[in-house]
Amino acid sequence: MKLYYIPTTRAVRPRWLLEELEAPYELIYIRPGMMEQPEYKHLHPHGKVPVLVDEAVTIFESAAICAYLADKYSEKGLAPEPNDSARAYYYQWLFYATATLEPPVEQYMFNVFPNLPEKVLPKDAQTHLSTTDAQTWFDRVCQPLDRVLTDRDYLVENKFSVADIITGGVLMWAYRLGMMKAETPTKLYLEKLMQRPGFLRADEDFYAKVGEENPS
Ligand SMILES: N[C@@H](CCC(=O)N[C@@H](CS)C(=O)NCC(=O)O)C(=O)O
């Protein structure tokens, strides 16, 4: 399996999962120029990361890649079985993370880093919200998470799943952007996720990358 990868991006999510699964994989580090090449656009229509190539399967979208891998390695138990009613809540949180939780974090990030590479979203749309409005929006969409995480460590049946990897992947950005100041159940949940050995292995080059981008 090949994972097309840039540190600190959404590509960390499938890498984190591959580490949790202890599955063999090869990281293909993508440099910005490579994303514009027709060969790469053949793998990802927008020339973005992540992309996973697994024999005949070439798949993009970080959450879809993770859902695919969880089913491929179903014996590892990182997704409820299709006929298990817990699968409904697994889908709910998986889609909540990308459709509802991620947009305010992305808006906040575009404000903080206006020069982030982003090919799809028009430039004006990237910074049309202030960080204050993005923060208010984020706090609102965290409320359902706070409620469910008050008395459990993981989102679905209190068992670690890919829903936690995708939700944790989104929250990790918010955390590092300074959007999670209050000691909420969601923050405590994330801090525990970030201590998992699989996450730490997948995140190993975060500080190297940040140092490279912000030379002091
Ligand atoms: N919804 C997609 C978003 C993919 C995406 O926007 N990737 C960013 C990195 S986090 C990227 O490749 N940006 C480079 C660019 O737009 O030039 C996913 O979750 O995979």
Side-chain angles (χ1 to χ4, degrees):
M1 256 183 306
K2 287 189 166 91
L3 178 64
Y4 290 80
Y5 181 78
I6 300 178
T8 79
T9 66
R10 292 171 177 91
V12 172
R13 301 168 188 175
R15 186 179 177 190
W16 177 7
L17 174 57
L18 286 161
E19 289 291 338
E20 295 277 354
L21 292 168
E22 298 178 326
Y25 67 95
E26 184 188 347
L27 279 186
I28 312 286
Y29 283 83
I30 297 295
R31 296 276 157 204
M34 287 167 70
M35 296 175 122
E36 308 311 326
Q37 301 297 319
E39 301 79 36
Y40 191 70
K41 288 269 181 75
H42 192 65
L43 301 180
H44 194 302
H46 298 302
K48 289 179 171 244
V49 289
V51 172
L52 182 85
V53 178
D54 179 23
E55 297 183 347
V57 173
T58 298
I59 179 172
F60 57 89
E61 279 297 325
S62 55
I65 294 170
C66 290
Y68 163 75
L69 287 171
D71 290 349
K72 177 179 166 107
Y73 293 92
S74 59
E75 73 283 1
K76 299 278 185 174
L78 293 190
E81 293 294 327
N83 54 359
D84 182 339
S85 59
R87 186 87 171 184
Y89 303 107
Y90 167 73
Y91 283 139
Q92 172 187 288
W93 292 120
L94 209 51
F95 288 96
Y96 193 82
T98 51
T100 306
L101 188 65
E102 188 166 73
V105 181
E106 196 176 45
Q107 283 293 324
Y108 191 101
M109 181 150 38
F110 283 134
N111 265 283
V112 176
F113 300 111
N115 295 323
L116 267 187
E118 168 51 53
K119 306 179 186 75
V120 177
L121 195 62
K123 198 74 194 163
D124 286 349
Q126 289 177 28
T127 48
H128 77 290
L129 270 194
S130 66
T131 48
T132 312
D133 283 347
Q135 179 75 59
T136 305
W137 179 10
F138 175 71
D139 290 344
R140 261 181 220 147
V141 295
C142 277
Q143 285 167 12
L145 290 173
D146 282 335
R147 274 199 292 279
V148 91
L149 293 167
T150 302
D151 59 359
R152 65 176 100 157
D153 293 332
Y154 303 111
L155 288 169
V156 182
E157 297 208 315
N158 208 10
K159 191 168 172 295
F160 180 70
S161 75
V162 159
D164 299 300
I165 290 188
I166 300 301
T167 305
V170 173
L171 291 173
M172 191 249 304
W173 275 1
Y175 185 86
R176 286 177 170 163
L177 286 164
M179 297 176 78
M180 297 182 74
K181 294 198 177 61
E183 297 302 312
T184 60
T186 302
K187 185 177 177 190
L188 297 177
Y189 157 79
L190 175 68
E191 285 171 342
K192 275 189 236 153
L193 288 179
M194 288 171 75
Q195 285 164 20
R196 293 181 70 88
F199 172 79
L200 293 171
R201 286 195 297 275
D203 195 43
E204 63 182 6
D205 37 19
F206 169 71
Y207 291 100
K209 166 89 188 222
V210 169
E212 189 185 292
E213 283 176 355
N214 302 303
S216 51

